[in-house]
Amino acid sequence: MFGDYSIGDLGAIFAMQGFAGLILFSVYVLMALGLAIIFGQMGVINMAHGEFMILGAYVTWMTSSAFQAYLPSLFPGYFFVAMILAFIAAGALGMLVEWGLIRHLYKRPLDTLLATWGLSLILQQAYRSIFGAREVGVELPQWMLGSKQITDTIEVPINGIFVMCLTFLITAAVAYVMYKSRWGRQVRAVVQNRVMAGAVGINTEKVDRYTFGLGCGIAGIAGSAFTMIGSTGPTSGQLYIVDTFLVVVFGGAASLFGTIASAFSISQAQSTMEFFMSGSMAKVLTLLAIVAILMVRPQGLFALKVRK
């Protein structure tokens, strides 16, 4: 298999696969961060997470169209406005869903699965009715197009570099909010001992609502990033929900570092194996390896000790 390649060619190929793995890692982290907060911190199985992501993608598409039509001179910077609007739209819908549906089901996790699965079907049909069944794509600004020449044989897409930088900034912001801010301490207190947190004056209902909204808002930003690598349709979110849950469960519920480590392990393993075999076979082998590890360590790579 390697007979036709020189050592330099093999090094360049593996370097390209490594960069492809980093871009996939960035997408996985963006998708999984919101779910890690909702599923890991709150114990809610949100099967509609992909639809919140697609809401962010549709908001990005609408923002792109609006800037093209009414503010063409500002079009190069529309993506930053779109990310903010996607976060607000997805976060606001998430808080509404938490108030109207999720708050009644906190002690019944399997019911949250059924309820959010039904919600995902409702949102898919809503998107189909509002935006149509056909997939749509955004037009990227000129500065996001093309690739960056790293060496004579290695090129990295500029939009991939942007996604990696965006992922780093959002992950750092989430880590700061969850581990350094007063609100983050309240969230972790509610996770570890809800009754005691309420007894010392923490408004657990308010913490739950804002936490769910934050997780959905991050999914909206992931949807904005998603528009750079794929087209957007009513059911596009369902293509990624399994991978997202896989990343969170493998990393360990309620562990931000575990989510990052899990996304990196899965993306690099999958990207490397795709050089030797088809993409579907690489995905199958990655899944089998994760299942085998979870059989030995069901709590995931990193687990948080929680007092009930």
Side-chain angles (χ1 to χ4, degrees):
M1 178 178 181
F2 301 110
D4 298 332
Y5 298 100
S6 67
I7 297 298
D9 291 336
L10 287 175
I13 291 171
F14 279 110
M16 288 292 289
Q17 290 298 115
F19 277 114
L22 286 176
I23 294 173
L24 183 61
F25 156 73
S26 301
V27 174
Y28 276 167
V29 169
L30 276 180
M31 291 192 302
L33 270 179
L35 193 63
I37 293 172
I38 294 172
F39 178 58
Q41 301 286 347
M42 304 177 67
V44 174
I45 305 174
N46 184 18
M47 295 300 294
H49 187 76
E51 279 61 50
F52 286 100
M53 184 182 82
I54 295 307
L55 173 60
Y58 273 124
V59 169
T60 303
W61 172 69
M62 289 189 294
T63 305
S64 169
S65 301
F67 269 74
Q68 279 184 304
Y70 303 108
L71 296 169
S73 61
L74 300 178
F75 183 76
Y78 88 88
F79 198 83
F80 300 99
V81 177
M83 285 192 297
I84 296 172
L85 294 178
F87 177 82
I88 294 173
L93 179 60
M95 292 176 68
L96 179 63
V97 168
E98 195 280 338
W99 174 81
L101 178 66
I102 302 299
R103 68 190 176 105
H104 304 290
L105 304 172
Y106 279 126
K107 295 182 180 180
R108 295 143 58 189
L110 291 180
D111 288 350
T112 65
L113 186 152
L114 294 174
T116 55
W117 179 65
L119 176 65
S120 74
L121 297 180
I122 293 172
L123 290 176
Q124 287 176 33
Q125 188 56 47
Y127 297 155
R128 191 175 287 110
S129 300
I130 297 171
F131 302 107
R134 297 182 63 180
E135 294 186 341
V136 298
V138 303
E139 182 174 338
L140 295 177
Q142 192 65 34
W143 62 271
M144 280 191 184
L145 302 177
S147 57
K148 180 74 173 177
Q149 193 82 25
I150 304 300
T151 67
D152 292 338
T153 55
I154 300 176
E155 292 183 355
V156 182
I158 292 177
N159 60 354
I161 297 174
F162 179 80
V163 170
M164 286 190 283
C165 295
L166 176 65
T167 300
F168 175 79
L169 292 175
I170 292 177
T171 303
V174 170
Y176 176 82
V177 168
M178 296 304 294
Y179 295 105
K180 296 295 184 181
S181 71
R182 181 172 180 269
W183 180 76
R185 288 193 293 271
Q186 291 181 353
V187 172
R188 289 184 285 122
V190 172
V191 169
Q192 294 185 31
N193 195 318
R194 176 178 293 272
V195 175
M196 185 60 69
V200 298
I202 295 176
N203 188 336
T204 57
E205 291 186 0
K206 183 178 179 180
V207 168
D208 289 336
R209 191 156 305 141
Y210 285 169
T211 302
F212 196 87
L214 175 64
C216 294
I218 294 173
I221 296 178
S224 288
F226 172 79
T227 60
M228 291 189 289
I229 60 173
S231 54
T232 303
T235 60
S236 298
Q238 291 299 306
L239 301 176
Y240 295 91
I241 189 67
V242 174
D243 289 334
T244 306
F245 266 106
L246 197 64
V247 168
V248 174
V249 173
F250 183 53
S255 174
L256 180 62
F257 181 73
T259 298
I260 297 171
S262 171
F264 182 80
S265 303
I266 293 174
S267 61
Q268 288 297 328
Q270 193 169 310
S271 179
T272 302
M273 285 192 290
E274 283 179 358
F275 177 71
F276 301 98
M277 59 192 72
S278 65
S280 58
M281 184 57 68
K283 204 172 189 69
V284 168
L285 290 180
T286 303
L287 178 61
L288 289 176
I290 292 171
V291 169
I293 293 173
L294 288 176
M295 289 176 67
V296 178
R297 189 177 173 81
Q299 70 270 34
L301 295 177
F302 302 89
L304 177 69
K305 293 182 180 179
V306 178
R307 294 189 295 272
K308 301 295 184 182

